[in-house]
């Protein structure tokens, strides 16, 4: 239900029930642009043809299968029952019939206005608490393809956990954002980071503008600019803060922000802090975006009717809960037509998309110059932490002088910088090996394979076929906990998310693929997912893919997918 | 009808001068304007006042009163008669007029009525833009550039470049200096034990965590660090963030929502300001460290609450203060704050980035310094980037308060967790602090020393407590323009740098700060600075300041 501690990585305003973008019929099983004809032949389910099909140089297949009616009804019933029991138990707690586990206010401060509204935590208390063991599982190893998880037990229905001291070894990690497999404790990256750590120490103890601008930072920024193919770049100590502390430097009062409805919390926070007017367009829906752009320019600011100073479009490369890829060619065409500016958050797509890992811009074969602000993080593909912004020299100069981060926040830790430098050079092939390139290819292959197999099994899988973020729909609240626990029993660590990170009925499990996953690991995971899928009856899809004949397939899978 | 009034009242003064109180004109100026009006009104008709436009003189003001009355009466009766006559004539004309004329006029009247009714309709139609017009508008619209150009000599454009570690001996722009600028109070930045602990962690976990705390981003080191921090601070629970700035900026909006009230010190740092902005609560700013002013605001709020007790029952009140203020180097009067807290039932959030690991016998911060029960403070936040010389921040307090952030602290939930090697470094730094409690007394002594040595520099004023390891040097007299002040101070910093003392100006975003502090040089004291170095630094600053300012 509740994603991890409150959050997965995505803010979810309520949106039309599973609505598919682009204004086509809601039940668009396959959305395709360039490969319309091919996809049509394959699925026979096409409900729209994108007008800008010519913009795409590659097939753009995204699936958001409609929630089956029965499942939707049952899900609502499930929440209804949970809510009823929640009220009942709150009643019992109130009269001290049931023991109260949660922490309470100090005696001295009982007459203060209560810190939390009573109903505020209803959800946490009565729904999240039941399945809290699925989140915050502590690990004690590298977050690589396999992790060691610390075993924990709860004797008070998840209100508190006790560590048994046992370690669950070799759990297959389908949860970490380790796309390119750079989360490692051996190899060139670790060695380089260790060297810098010994030389520099870990901290910086100052801000970039004061005296925390190390030669390493300058080196990193030049490299990032080269990697992205932009004039200049600037790096920051935290990915979240890169968004929330730089958007306010770019836009302000009298400016308009057009933001995708599924944008990450950091983008939303940044937009809010900027003081600009914010309008939301439907997820990845270009008609919706164009209408907002057109209206904004024609009608200007509300009430005063003055023209907007500037319009900034905020989109993400890969949406972390949906697995969808931004329709960048169309966004860029619109942005050019209406003279808006584009802010692209590549937190999940940098390194993970494109033939050489340069992100969604390269994936679509576009020019990085067309994106005004290229933002991304080092947390995921580079196995480090922090974020960057790339763009024209004027932009970066301005940010160097006006970014909140540069003035008030401590700069990146030197060993972390070194990890980024080494991993980035590896992706670029500057370390003299083709390791980086192989990783990028491996990830793309893993993605296609894993997604295809899941679809064949009959699960409802959201998102783009090239997106390494793979959401598998669970829908019902009880299945969230059940799936997470069953998978851990089978030694597979998965991420499950529900409301409020997703719309209330669209709870899901999310797999993040990695180049570090071998074929064996993926096959083991797939086998277990298949088993659990049958156990929990998760195979909701009515558009089952037929396995390709030229590909060897697992017989059991095939048989089961026939039912 | 014109009525006679004394000239002064009859005069309409120029608009700008009509309301002295409202327009804020000085009384003398208004009096002048009035006086001028009097004169003009009294002036003969042949010589109209030079600014007749602005002055309306009553039409008959200059005529004798009886005469004026008589004429008026005459005119009235004549007008009445004329009116009656016209009516009679009109009726007569109607009889006499030819039929075609009447029909024509009738049609005309109908036409006018039609026009009247159709007019509104047409206007409405016109307000809808045609497609072509819309296209033209879109074509015409020119946005401002994404960012305004930055002048090449912007003081913040070209950063100092530090080669090698930013520790006690620092190489800034190729020049070796003694560091009086980094917040490395305890000198733990290049401590071999800290490095060894970080290295061991690096070898076990790698660098990144590849996920937020919720999704396999919680490492055993994080749990250890939280435990250790809670124990060190003697609180029930602690929570760590991966970025110092995000700590208090996330903590405030986790509790304070729209409609709640936050009382905040004028000198609060930027992270607090951003946290308050994100919370969308009502912000009441009190004068820096002025408890009387705070009490005044609290009292005002109490009166407000009595008017609307229903609303008051759900309005949370918070006081947000810093232990040692980043922007001033002064300490908050915590005992008074605690008294006010219980008197007015407001919760205290305390930002201790500069005082954690500095003040108190064991470095627990302001609470220990004043000997206040830490449970009296609802939430303490600090970053681990100063005394601990790592990266990240933490909040601590009672579980009832802190645990809430695990689901509501945005910077906690939505961000990747702290790299384990940084957490390991922080743990080791805590170990060192616990093992050498004498270190805090040493630091205090050093602060006193340089503080004393820097007193009495002509042109520069020391601002901040004598025990604060970070304090400010302000210009005694501003030149009048911030830009020039900044340049002067920069000159001092540059010359000190040339003489091997690394200093920095405190940097602010001029336009973003709620209450922009005056420009200053920030001096940072660390335990690694020897007596000799402290003396040298003070002497250098003195000499340079005199050379630059005199």
């Amino acid at each position: 239900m509740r994603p991890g501690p409150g959050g997965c990585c995505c803010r979810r305003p309520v949106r039309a029930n599973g609505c598919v973008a682009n204004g086509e019929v809601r039940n668009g099983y396959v959305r395709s642009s360039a490969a319309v004809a091919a996809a049509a032949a394959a699925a026979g389910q096409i409900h729209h043809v994108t007008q800008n099909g010519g913009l795409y140089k590659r097939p753009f297949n995204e699936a958001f299968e409609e929630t089956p009616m029965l499942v939707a009804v049952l899900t609502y019933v499930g929440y209804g029952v949970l809510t009823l029991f929640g009220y009942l138990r709150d009643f019992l707690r109130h009269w001290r019939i049931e023991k109260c586990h949660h922490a309470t206010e100090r005696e001295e401060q009982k007459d203060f206005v209560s810190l939390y509204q009573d109903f505020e935590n209803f959800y946490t208390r009565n729904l999240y608490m039941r399945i809290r063991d699925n989140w915050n599982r502590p690990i004690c190893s590298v977050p690589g393809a396999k992790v060691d998880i610390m075993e924990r037990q709860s004797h008070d229905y998840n209100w508190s956990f006790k560590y048994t001291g046992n370690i669950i070894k070799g759990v297959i990690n389908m949860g970490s954002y380790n796309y390119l497999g750079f989360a490692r404790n051996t190899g060139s990256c670790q060695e380089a980071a260790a060297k810098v750590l010994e030389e520099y120490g870990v901290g910086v103890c100052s801000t970039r503008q004061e005296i925390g601008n190390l030669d390493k930072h300058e080196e990193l920024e030049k490299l990032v600019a080269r990697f992205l193919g932009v004039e200049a770049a600037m790096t920051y100590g935290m990915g979240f803060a890169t968004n929330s502390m730089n958007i306010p430097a770019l836009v302000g009062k009298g400016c308009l922000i057009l933001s995708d409805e599924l944008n990450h919390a950091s983008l939303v926070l940044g937009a809010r802090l900027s003081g600009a007017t914010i309008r939301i367009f439907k997820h990845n829906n270009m008609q919706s975006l164009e209408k907002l752009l057109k209206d904004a320019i024609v009608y200007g600011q509300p009430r005063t009717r003055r023209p907007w100073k500037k319009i900034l479009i905020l989109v993400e490369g890969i949406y972390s809960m949906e697995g969808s890829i931004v329709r960048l060619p169309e966004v860029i065409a619109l942005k050019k037509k209406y003279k808006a500016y584009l802010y692209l958050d590549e937190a999940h797509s940098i390194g993970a998309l494109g033939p050489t890992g340069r992100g969604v811009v390269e994936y679509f074969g576009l020019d990085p110059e067309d994106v005004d602000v290229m933002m991304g993080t080092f947390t995921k593909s580079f196995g480090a932490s922090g974020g960057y912004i790339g763009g024209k020299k004027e932009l970066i100069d301005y940010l160097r002088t006006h970014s909140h981060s540069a003035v008030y926040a401590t700069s990146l830790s030197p060993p972390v910088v070194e990890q980024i430098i080494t991993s980035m050079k590896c992706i670029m092939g500057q370390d003299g090996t083709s390791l980086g390139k192989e990783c990028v290819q491996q990830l793309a292959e893993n993605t296609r394979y894993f997604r295809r197999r899941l679809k064949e099994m009959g699960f409802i899988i959201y998102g783009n076929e090239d997106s390494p973020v793979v959401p598998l729909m669970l829908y019902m609240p009880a299945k969230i906990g059940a799936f997470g626990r069953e998978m851990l029993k089978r030694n597979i660590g998965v991420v499950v998310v529900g409301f409020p990170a997703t719309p209330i009925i669209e709870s899901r499990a999310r797999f993040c693929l990695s180049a570090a996953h071998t074929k064996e690991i993926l096959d083991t995971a797939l086998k277990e997912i298949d088993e659990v899928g049958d156990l929990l009856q998760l195979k909701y899809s009515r558009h089952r893919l037929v396995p390709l004949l030229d590909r060897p397939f697992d017989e059991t899978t095939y048989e089961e997918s026939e039912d | 009808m014109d009525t006679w009034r004394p000239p002064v009242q009859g005069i309409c003064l120029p608009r700008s001068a009509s309301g002295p109180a409202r327009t804020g004109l000085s009384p003398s100026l208004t009096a002048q304007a009035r006086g001028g009006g009097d004169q003009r009104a009294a002036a003969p008709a042949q010589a109209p006042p030079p600014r007749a436009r602005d002055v309306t003189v009553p039409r008959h003001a200059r005529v004798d009163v009886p005469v004026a009355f008589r004429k008026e009466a005459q005119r009235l009766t004549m007008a009445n008669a004329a009116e009656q006559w016209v009516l009679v004539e009109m009726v007569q004309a109607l009889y006499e007029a030819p039929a075609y004329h009447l029909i024509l006029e009738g049609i005309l009247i109908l036409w006018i009525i039609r026009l009247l009714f159709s007019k509104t309709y047409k206007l409405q139609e016109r307000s809808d833009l045609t497609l072509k017009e819309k296209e033209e508008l879109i074509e015409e619209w020119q946005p401002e550039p994404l960012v305004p150009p930055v002048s090449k000599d912007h003081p913040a454009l070209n950063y100092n470049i530090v080669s090698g570690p930013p520790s006690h001996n620092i190489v800034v722009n190729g020049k070796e200096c003694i560091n009086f600028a980094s917040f490395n109070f305890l000198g733990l930045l290049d401590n071999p034990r800290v490095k060894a602990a970080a290295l061991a962690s690096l070898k076990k976990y790698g660098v990144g965590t590849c996920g937020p705390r919720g999704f396999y981003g919680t490492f055993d080191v994080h749990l250890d660090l939280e435990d250790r921090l809670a124990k060190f601070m003697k609180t029930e629970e602690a929570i760590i963030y991966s970025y110092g700035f995000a700590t208090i900026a996330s903590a405030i909006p986790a509790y304070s929502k729209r409609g709640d009230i936050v009382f905040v010190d004028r000198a609060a740092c930027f992270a607090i300001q951003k946290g308050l902005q994100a919370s969308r609560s009502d912000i009441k700013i009190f004068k820096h460290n002025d408890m009387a002013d705070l009490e005044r605001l609290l009292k005002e709020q109490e009166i407000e609450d009595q008017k609307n007790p229903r609303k008051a029952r759900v309005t949370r009140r918070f006081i947000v203060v810093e232990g040692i203020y980043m922007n001033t180097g002064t300490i908050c009067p915590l005992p008074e704050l605690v008294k006010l807290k219980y008197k007015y039932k407001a919760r205290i959030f305390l930002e201790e980035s500069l005082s954690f690991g500095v003040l108190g016998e064991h470095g627990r911060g302001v609470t220990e310094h004043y000997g206040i029960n830490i449970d009296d403070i609802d939430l303490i936040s600090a970053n681990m980037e100063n005394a601990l010389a790592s990266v990240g921040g933490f909040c601590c307090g009672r579980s009832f308060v802190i645990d809430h952030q695990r689901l509501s602290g945005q910077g906690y939930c939505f961000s990747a967790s702290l790299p384990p090697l940084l957490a390991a470094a922080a743990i080791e730094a805590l170990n060192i602090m616990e093992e050498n409690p004498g270190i805090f007394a040493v630091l205090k002594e050093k602060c006193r020393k340089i503080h004393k040595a820097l007193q009495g520099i002509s042109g520069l004023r020391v601002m901040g407590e004598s025990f604060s390891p970070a304090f400010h040097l302000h210009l005694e007299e501003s030149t009048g323009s911030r830009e020039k002040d900044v340049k002067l101070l920069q000159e001092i910093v540059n010359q000190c740098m040339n003489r091997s003392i690394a200093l920095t100006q405190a940097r602010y975003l001029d336009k973003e700060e709620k209450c922009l502090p005056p420009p200053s040089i920030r001096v940072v004291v660390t335990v690694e600075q020897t007596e000799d170095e402290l003396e040298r630094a003070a002497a250098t600053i003195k000499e340079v300041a005199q050379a630059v300012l005199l």
Side-chain angles (χ1 to χ4, degrees):
Chain A
M1 299 189 188
R2 192 123 175 188
C8 58
C9 282
C10 174
R11 161 186 168 269
R12 275 307 266 253
V14 182
R15 68 173 186 151
N17 174 17
C19 171
V20 171
N22 267 37
E24 82 277 41
V25 186
R26 198 170 140 269
N27 185 15
Y29 170 50
V30 173
R31 285 194 292 147
S32 169
S33 294
V36 172
Q45 285 279 340
I46 310 295
H47 293 276
H48 96 294
V49 177
T50 314
Q51 305 135 328
N52 295 321
L55 290 171
Y56 291 86
K57 290 175 185 146
R58 58 185 304 145
F60 186 83
N61 295 328
E62 261 181 35
F64 292 91
E65 192 175 332
E66 190 193 20
T67 310
M69 180 59 88
L70 181 66
V71 175
V73 170
L74 285 175
T75 307
Y76 279 122
V77 170
Y79 278 105
V81 171
L82 279 169
T83 311
L84 273 181
F85 271 90
Y87 279 120
L88 177 68
R89 295 184 62 185
D90 269 1
F91 175 79
L92 295 179
R93 282 188 198 115
H94 183 78
W95 294 102
R96 305 285 156 101
I97 300 168
E98 190 184 323
K99 208 171 139 198
C100 229
H101 293 283
H102 50 81
T104 46
E105 178 76 285
R106 285 173 82 199
E107 277 307 315
E108 294 93 320
Q109 289 179 218
K110 282 265 193 260
D111 53 344
F112 279 42
V113 175
S114 81
L115 192 52
Y116 316 112
Q117 240 110 48
D118 212 27
F119 60 85
E120 209 178 342
N121 294 332
F122 178 86
Y123 188 89
T124 319
R125 223 169 26 233
N126 296 307
L127 282 82
Y128 169 63
M129 205 47 82
R130 288 166 177 269
I131 52 169
R132 195 164 84 124
D133 55 316
N134 289 293
W135 294 282
N136 300 307
R137 287 173 179 159
I139 67 173
C140 50
S141 69
V142 182
K146 290 190 173 177
V147 288
D148 299 341
I149 294 182
M150 291 164 74
E151 194 184 55
R152 52 180 188 177
Q153 279 176 346
S154 179
H155 298 292
D156 51 4
Y157 305 100
N158 286 349
W159 284 96
S160 68
F161 291 104
K162 292 241 160 33
Y163 295 97
T164 59
N166 296 337
I167 287 168
I168 313 170
K169 290 236 176 218
V171 177
I172 293 177
N173 183 1
M174 302 299 291
S176 295
Y177 306 128
N178 176 25
Y179 296 126
L180 294 181
F182 279 108
R184 272 200 298 248
N185 57 359
T186 52
S188 59
C189 291
Q190 185 268 333
E191 281 159 25
K195 214 172 133 231
V196 169
L197 168 60
E198 273 170 26
E199 193 189 336
Y200 283 78
V202 296
V204 182
C205 292
S206 189
T207 66
R208 292 293 299 279
Q209 282 206 358
E210 287 175 3
I211 204 151
N213 180 45
L214 306 187
D215 46 358
K216 281 278 157 210
H217 295 132
E218 299 273 327
E219 182 188 342
L220 172 65
E221 285 173 358
K222 284 195 188 100
L223 184 72
V224 170
R226 252 207 337 271
F227 179 75
L228 296 172
V230 293
E231 287 174 14
M234 186 164 182
T235 57
Y236 306 94
M238 183 196 198
F240 184 93
T242 309
N243 280 333
S244 62
M245 293 167 83
N246 283 306
I247 295 173
L250 298 174
V251 286
K253 204 167 161 278
C255 301
L256 178 68
I257 289 176
L258 299 179
S259 167
D260 191 292
E261 61 178 343
L262 298 188
N263 273 345
H264 186 254
S266 56
L267 288 164
V268 176
L269 181 64
R272 252 196 229 153
L273 291 179
S274 73
T277 307
I278 306 164
R279 288 184 187 155
I280 312 286
F281 60 91
K282 288 226 169 68
H283 175 55
N284 228 351
N285 184 328
M286 293 305 117
Q287 272 91 339
S288 170
L289 174 61
E290 179 160 18
K291 186 172 182 300
L292 285 181
L293 276 168
K294 207 182 260 175
D295 286 355
I297 299 173
V298 170
Y299 299 112
Q301 298 185 31
R303 292 178 55 233
T304 61
R305 296 278 168 246
R306 297 251 177 89
W308 294 101
K309 286 185 188 159
K310 50 193 167 192
I311 300 175
L312 185 68
I313 304 171
L314 300 184
V315 290
E316 287 184 53
I318 292 180
Y319 289 85
S320 63
M321 276 298 138
E322 231 58 17
S324 49
I325 296 178
V326 64
R327 298 175 159 268
L328 197 61
E330 287 170 74
V331 175
I332 286 180
L334 284 178
K335 152 213 139 93
K336 281 185 176 162
K337 184 173 170 198
Y338 294 99
K339 296 177 222 130
Y341 300 107
L342 178 59
Y343 186 108
L344 175 64
D345 176 346
E346 292 218 71
H348 287 266
S349 54
I350 192 72
L353 283 183
T356 63
R358 301 300 207 277
V360 69
V361 178
E362 192 195 31
Y363 173 78
F364 285 114
L366 299 164
D367 185 356
E369 282 228 332
D370 288 338
V371 180
D372 300 278
V373 188
M374 301 260 279
M375 180 270 166
T377 66
F378 301 124
T379 317
K380 284 120 194 169
S381 298
F382 303 96
S385 76
Y388 66 82
I389 280 185
K392 294 238 163 34
K393 178 137 193 322
E394 299 89 77
L395 169 75
I396 301 305
D397 277 353
Y398 185 79
L399 287 179
R400 278 169 83 90
T401 50
H402 291 84
S403 161
H404 298 182
S405 242
V407 189
Y408 297 103
T410 305
S411 24
L412 268 170
S413 156
V416 175
V417 171
E418 190 58 27
Q419 160 84 14
I420 305 164
I421 292 177
T422 337
S423 55
M424 196 173 273
K425 278 187 176 161
C426 181
I427 300 171
M428 292 164 89
Q430 286 190 354
D431 58 343
T433 67
S434 59
L435 212 76
K437 201 159 184 210
E438 281 161 23
C439 281
V440 175
Q441 279 164 0
Q442 184 67 47
L443 175 66
E445 242 167 67
N446 284 354
T447 301
R448 292 236 171 187
Y449 175 69
F450 193 75
R451 279 186 164 267
R452 173 141 202 110
R453 287 288 303 276
L454 284 180
K455 278 188 193 161
E456 285 164 15
M457 289 174 194
F459 294 106
I460 294 187
I461 303 294
Y462 272 11
N464 194 295
E465 62 175 11
D466 287 322
S467 147
V469 178
V470 186
L472 181 153
M473 302 311 287
L474 303 172
Y475 299 111
M476 293 167 207
K479 291 187 182 179
I480 302 174
F483 189 78
R485 288 171 192 156
E486 283 298 325
M487 291 308 282
L488 188 63
K489 250 190 231 164
R490 292 164 164 77
N491 243 21
I492 295 170
V494 296
V495 166
V496 282
V497 275
F499 183 78
T502 68
I504 191 127
I505 70 156
E506 287 181 29
S507 306
R508 61 196 68 176
R510 189 188 59 181
F511 308 107
C512 288
L513 292 163
S514 163
H517 290 140
T518 58
K519 181 94 184 333
E520 292 77 60
I521 290 179
L522 286 184
D523 280 336
T524 317
L526 283 164
K527 190 178 134 263
E528 303 295 355
I529 294 168
D530 190 32
E531 229 172 73
V532 176
D534 285 331
L535 183 72
L536 304 178
Q537 302 184 349
L538 293 172
K539 297 179 175 176
Y540 301 115
S541 179
R542 287 164 298 181
H543 308 289
R544 191 157 296 197
L545 277 189
V546 182
L548 291 172
L549 290 174
D550 59 352
R551 202 179 49 71
F553 55 84
D554 188 341
E555 273 171 80
T556 52
T557 318
Y558 188 63
E559 277 163 25
E560 273 166 15
S561 67
E562 280 300 294
D563 58 15
Chain B
M1 246 26 14
D2 288 314
T3 48
W4 186 88
R5 284 190 225 113
V8 177
Q9 274 181 13
I11 293 161
C12 296
L13 287 170
R15 249 183 115 183
S16 60
S18 63
R22 219 181 41 204
T23 53
L25 274 182
S26 70
S28 64
L29 192 67
T30 322
Q32 225 176 25
R34 275 218 185 114
D38 283 349
Q39 278 169 13
R40 265 176 249 144
Q46 290 89 333
R51 285 170 65 212
R53 198 155 45 94
D54 296 334
V55 185
T56 319
V57 181
R59 259 154 88 190
H60 305 294
R62 279 169 280 102
V63 186
D64 282 347
V65 180
V67 178
F69 263 112
R70 241 180 287 136
K71 282 201 173 168
E72 203 56 50
Q74 262 177 9
R75 223 186 62 156
L76 268 176
T77 40
M78 272 172 71
N80 266 344
E83 235 166 65
Q84 278 171 2
W85 177 241
V86 168
L87 262 175
V88 172
E89 231 180 356
M90 270 172 72
V91 175
Q92 263 184 352
L94 198 67
Y95 281 127
E96 284 166 13
Y100 75 90
H101 201 262
L102 285 179
I103 291 166
L104 198 73
E105 285 198 9
I107 290 171
L108 277 174
I109 287 166
L110 284 176
W111 184 250
I112 287 166
I113 291 167
R114 217 204 111 180
L115 275 179
L116 276 175
F117 277 92
S118 61
K119 203 174 174 186
T120 47
Y121 176 67
K122 268 193 180 162
L123 257 179
Q124 213 174 31
E125 202 178 47
R126 210 178 298 150
S127 74
D128 265 353
L129 295 164
T130 62
L131 212 60
K132 198 166 158 266
E133 281 171 317
K134 280 186 184 175
E135 269 166 24
E136 277 170 6
L137 278 171
I138 290 167
E139 196 58 42
E140 276 169 23
W141 183 66
Q142 278 304 334
E144 284 179 9
L146 180 60
V147 289
V150 179
S151 70
K152 282 269 177 286
D153 57 346
H154 192 287
L157 182 57
N158 299 309
Y159 297 171
N160 293 317
I161 296 180
V162 176
S163 343
S167 48
H168 177 54
N169 291 307
I170 187 171
V171 181
V172 189
N173 301 329
K175 187 132 185 45
E176 202 172 312
C177 298
I178 298 161
N179 195 344
F180 279 87
S182 305
F183 296 109
N184 181 17
F185 304 137
L186 302 181
L188 296 174
L189 192 128
D190 54 352
N191 186 297
R193 276 179 64 186
V194 173
K195 279 185 186 172
L199 195 64
S201 168
L202 173 65
K203 285 192 172 143
K204 187 173 177 201
Y205 303 101
V207 174
T209 58
C210 288
R213 286 292 292 269
F215 305 156
Y216 304 99
T218 302
F219 286 59
D220 47 358
V221 229
H222 294 139
L223 301 175
D224 280 354
L225 177 57
E226 283 176 353
D227 257 11
R228 288 297 307 278
L229 282 166
K231 286 217 179 82
F232 180 84
M233 294 297 285
K234 297 198 169 162
T235 54
E236 283 179 12
E237 195 168 339
I239 180 172
I240 52 172
Y241 283 78
S242 53
Y243 203 43
F245 188 95
T247 312
I248 189 73
S250 292
I252 294 174
Y255 304 99
S256 184
K257 309 281 180 199
R258 202 190 281 274
D260 294 339
I261 297 166
V262 185
F263 301 90
V264 65
D265 193 288
R266 222 180 114 83
C269 66
F270 197 71
I272 293 180
Q273 292 172 30
K274 285 290 128 180
L276 293 176
Q277 196 189 341
S279 76
R280 300 193 260 190
S281 312
D282 292 340
I283 316 292
K284 312 226 168 195
I285 299 174
F286 59 90
K287 286 187 200 133
H288 179 49
N289 271 350
D290 186 342
M291 291 303 105
D293 196 41
L294 172 60
E295 183 151 20
R296 178 184 64 84
L297 288 173
L298 285 163
K299 241 183 212 143
E300 262 173 29
Q301 185 54 42
E302 201 176 44
I303 293 164
E304 198 69 24
D305 285 349
Q306 277 159 1
K307 275 187 215 151
N308 193 352
R310 259 180 105 183
K311 195 177 158 217
R313 270 206 296 279
V314 293
T315 308
R316 286 169 282 243
R317 268 144 291 175
F318 301 92
I319 301 172
V320 180
V321 287
E322 279 180 76
I324 292 179
Y325 283 88
M326 185 72 153
N327 294 355
T328 61
T330 46
I331 189 170
C332 69
L334 200 57
E336 280 90 343
L337 281 163
V338 172
K339 261 180 230 146
L340 289 179
K341 162 188 167 158
Y342 286 109
K343 190 166 171 199
Y344 294 97
K345 305 194 195 326
R347 292 163 201 275
I348 297 182
F349 286 3
L350 180 62
E351 219 293 327
E352 289 222 67
S353 286
L354 284 191
S355 48
F356 169 75
V358 171
L359 291 186
E361 202 184 330
H362 301 89
R364 287 195 196 103
V366 193
T367 45
E368 200 186 16
H369 177 84
Y370 283 118
I372 284 172
N373 178 7
I374 202 154
D375 279 345
D376 281 335
I377 311 300
D378 294 82
L379 180 139
I380 289 177
S381 104
N383 67 31
M384 305 191 281
E385 295 160 357
N386 301 342
L388 288 180
S390 180
V391 171
F394 71 90
C395 285
C396 63
R398 299 188 68 250
S399 294
F400 174 71
V401 179
I402 299 300
D403 197 49
H404 183 65
Q405 285 179 55
R406 297 195 192 274
L407 287 169
S408 310
Q410 283 215 324
Y412 178 88
C413 302
F414 296 102
S415 160
S417 52
L418 185 68
L421 71 98
L422 297 171
I427 293 177
E428 193 57 33
L430 274 177
N431 286 338
I432 294 172
M433 277 164 63
E434 280 178 349
E435 286 163 24
N436 317 300
I439 201 173
F440 308 110
V442 174
L443 181 64
K444 206 182 239 178
E445 194 45 46
K446 292 196 168 166
C447 296
R448 283 236 166 82
K449 211 152 257 165
I450 191 164
H451 213 270
K452 209 171 150 200
L454 283 173
Q455 298 293 336
I457 300 178
S458 53
L460 282 184
R461 189 164 36 93
V462 182
M463 167 117 168
E465 311 291 341
S466 62
F467 48 77
S468 163
F471 55 90
H472 296 256
L473 299 175
H474 290 283
L475 285 177
E476 216 153 46
E477 271 173 53
S478 166
T479 54
S481 104
R482 192 178 175 90
E483 216 172 297
K484 270 190 202 151
D485 288 359
V486 168
K487 270 199 183 137
L488 268 181
L489 290 172
Q490 192 55 45
E491 188 52 38
I492 297 177
V493 169
N494 290 346
Q495 290 199 19
C496 284
M497 212 94 96
N498 286 337
R499 299 169 70 165
S500 296
I501 301 291
L503 290 170
T504 175
Q505 279 198 63
R507 305 275 192 172
Y508 305 103
L509 286 173
D510 298 6
K511 286 189 191 125
E512 305 278 332
E513 285 276 356
K514 273 253 148 50
C515 313
L516 182 63
S520 66
I521 297 172
R522 201 193 290 114
V523 183
V524 180
V525 185
T526 73
V527 289
E528 285 181 313
Q529 291 153 2
T530 60
E531 303 232 331
D532 179 47
E533 283 164 344
L534 288 169
E535 271 167 33
R536 222 176 82 208
T540 311
I541 295 172
K542 204 173 235 170
E543 280 165 35
V544 168
Q546 260 149 21
V548 172
L549 297 176
L550 295 181

